[in-house]
Amino acid sequence: MMLSHPENTNGFLSAEQFLENRGRVAIFIDGSNLFYAALQLGIEIDYTKLLCRLTAGSRLLRAFFYTGVDRTNEKQQGFLLWMRRNGYRVIAKDLVQLPDGSKKANLDVEIAVDMMALVGSYDTAILVSGDGDLAYAVNAVSYRGVRVEVVSLRAMTSDSLINVADRYIDLEAVKEDIQKIPRHPNYTYRPLSGMPVMEMEQEG
């Protein structure tokens, strides 16, 4: 398994060699996990830059973005429309209100199913999540010949997920490449009732 700043000193592939051998890539982004990582880093994600950074010149099959939604939230709906029109396939699931009043939408199953269903159509999976519940799916696609890169904040990433990935990239190491330059934002990305709901600027 390769870490985010590899030097080719141990006989392993360098980062450049790894990228050359990626083939066709599919990107799977856990929107909630990415939100909290960005919050920890104190940045706002520029999703155009993120897509370019993750793809890194490789052939892209599709970029999936998974998120819980509040369909009464017009700003969030506007953000998701922007995402759909700018290179992302949005997989949305209604937030469910829990007994304690908080709202939650768990999309681990959707991410795992899509990763498995598309095996054969892509060579490298780029998973933007630190959720250890996805380790089994990552291991399963690896056994079917897929290389998996995990991209997430180290402090929020399960060791079990890192251990089954072919390459791990700490978001902190690439934050300069993916953060938005502040400029009169229309939306702010913040949690709603204790859970993340996307409300972000639609400009690139």
Side-chain angles (χ1 to χ4, degrees):
M1 193 270 296
M2 182 181 294
L3 297 177
S4 55
H5 301 295
E7 297 293 340
N8 194 13
T9 57
N10 299 313
F12 297 108
L13 290 176
S14 67
E16 292 75 15
Q17 290 170 321
F18 192 95
L19 291 176
E20 287 176 2
N21 288 278
R22 279 169 127 197
R24 201 170 195 187
V25 303
I27 300 171
F28 305 89
I29 301 173
D30 179 339
S32 173
N33 195 274
L34 180 58
F35 159 70
Y36 282 113
L39 196 66
Q40 288 290 321
L41 290 170
I43 66 171
E44 185 178 355
I45 301 293
D46 183 318
Y47 284 89
T48 300
K49 289 182 180 179
L50 177 67
L51 189 58
C52 290
R53 180 63 178 80
L54 294 177
T55 307
S58 300
R59 291 181 299 144
L60 177 65
L61 172 66
R62 189 157 291 152
F64 295 92
F65 183 83
Y66 302 83
T67 184
V69 293
D70 176 356
R71 301 196 184 275
T72 65
N73 188 317
E74 293 183 4
K75 288 184 178 180
Q76 184 195 26
Q77 294 303 313
F79 167 73
L80 295 179
L81 178 61
W82 182 91
M83 292 286 280
R84 290 185 178 99
R85 292 177 175 177
N86 287 271
Y88 292 90
R89 175 67 60 89
V90 175
I91 310 300
K93 190 174 185 178
D94 289 342
L95 292 166
V96 176
Q97 187 159 343
L98 303 178
D100 63 2
S102 64
K103 295 183 179 181
K104 183 176 183 179
N106 190 324
L107 286 103
D108 290 349
V109 171
E110 286 80 357
I111 295 173
V113 168
D114 288 345
M115 289 182 72
M116 290 296 298
L118 290 169
V119 168
S121 298
Y122 65 95
D123 304 296
T124 299
I126 303 172
L127 175 63
V128 183
S129 179
D131 193 339
D133 290 342
L134 293 168
Y136 191 83
V138 168
N139 204 38
V141 298
S142 295
Y143 274 108
R144 297 185 64 183
V146 173
R147 293 183 180 183
V148 182
E149 300 177 25
V150 169
V151 183
S152 58
L153 188 62
R154 182 61 186 92
M156 296 173 55
T157 306
S158 167
D159 286 341
S160 63
L161 189 58
I162 293 176
N163 291 342
V164 293
D166 295 288
R167 185 185 186 212
Y168 170 71
I169 300 170
D170 190 339
L171 273 174
E172 187 161 15
V174 298
K175 68 179 182 179
E176 301 296 331
D177 298 332
I178 63 173
Q179 68 180 338
K180 181 173 290 184
I181 300 171
R183 53 173 186 180
H184 312 297
N186 295 322
Y187 300 162
T188 8
Y189 190 2
R190 62 178 183 268
L192 178 70
S193 301
M195 287 305 296
V197 172
M198 298 291 190
E199 299 184 4
M200 298 193 63
E201 180 184 0
Q202 295 183 44
E203 298 176 13

